Amino acid sequence: MLTRYIKVVLVAAFVSSCATTITKDPDREPAQRSEIPLKSVNSLLMRAEQSDVTQATTLRLSAALIAFDLGEVLQARKILELIVNPHLTSTTSVNFLMLRAAIAIANREGEIALSLLSDNRLQKAPLTQSYQINIGRLRSDAYFLTRSYIASAR
């Protein structure tokens, strides 16, 4: 009885796999998929140029985060250098310091990341649990880069 059930399931799986065809969408080539977020980075930067200082800071931080998530570490770093005053609010300050620390870690600069993560503005800001977890992970990676393996394990 069980073997008959297994045979029926295998036949059904085989028939369904034969019936489906993989179609390649010519409009969605891999190069085009990576351009879509880059266009959003550029559009965020253009909107930042036309905004007030507070909104421009937020838009540039968003653009830098998207660029960093795409693996464009140098572009993210250059975008962060465009930010005039990253410490306007506690949220922008926390996001700026965390992203700068992540870029430092990506560039294998553990000491710089640790100094950014020990900034007083980051220590005094009210942090959500997800921010605390992300900061802990960044700190762990930074300690690992500086060969403080016991501190990294904590």
Side-chain angles (χ1 to χ4, degrees), residues 79-97:
I79 293 170
L80 287 182
E81 290 172 359
L82 295 174
I83 297 176
V84 177
N85 186 4
H87 306 292
L88 289 174
T89 66
S90 64
T91 304
T92 58
S93 183
V94 167
N95 290 332
F96 178 81
L97 291 169

Side-chain angles (χ1 to χ4, degrees), residues 13-77:
F14 179 72
V15 169
S16 66
S17 67
C18 291
T20 59
T21 59
I22 298 174
T23 57
K24 187 174 182 180
D25 188 2
D27 296 331
R28 299 288 293 180
E29 293 295 317
Q32 290 175 340
R33 276 187 247 142
S34 65
E35 288 177 12
I36 292 169
L38 289 179
K39 287 181 183 175
S40 66
V41 168
N42 291 334
S43 66
L44 286 171
L45 292 175
M46 285 190 283
R47 282 180 43 204
E49 291 297 322
Q50 301 166 353
S51 302
D52 64 345
V53 177
T54 306
Q55 188 176 9
T57 299
T58 304
L59 291 170
R60 286 185 180 119
L61 278 171
S62 298
L65 182 62
I66 291 170
F68 183 78
D69 286 342
L70 290 172
E72 299 290 334
V73 178
L74 183 60
Q75 183 183 16
R77 187 177 195 161

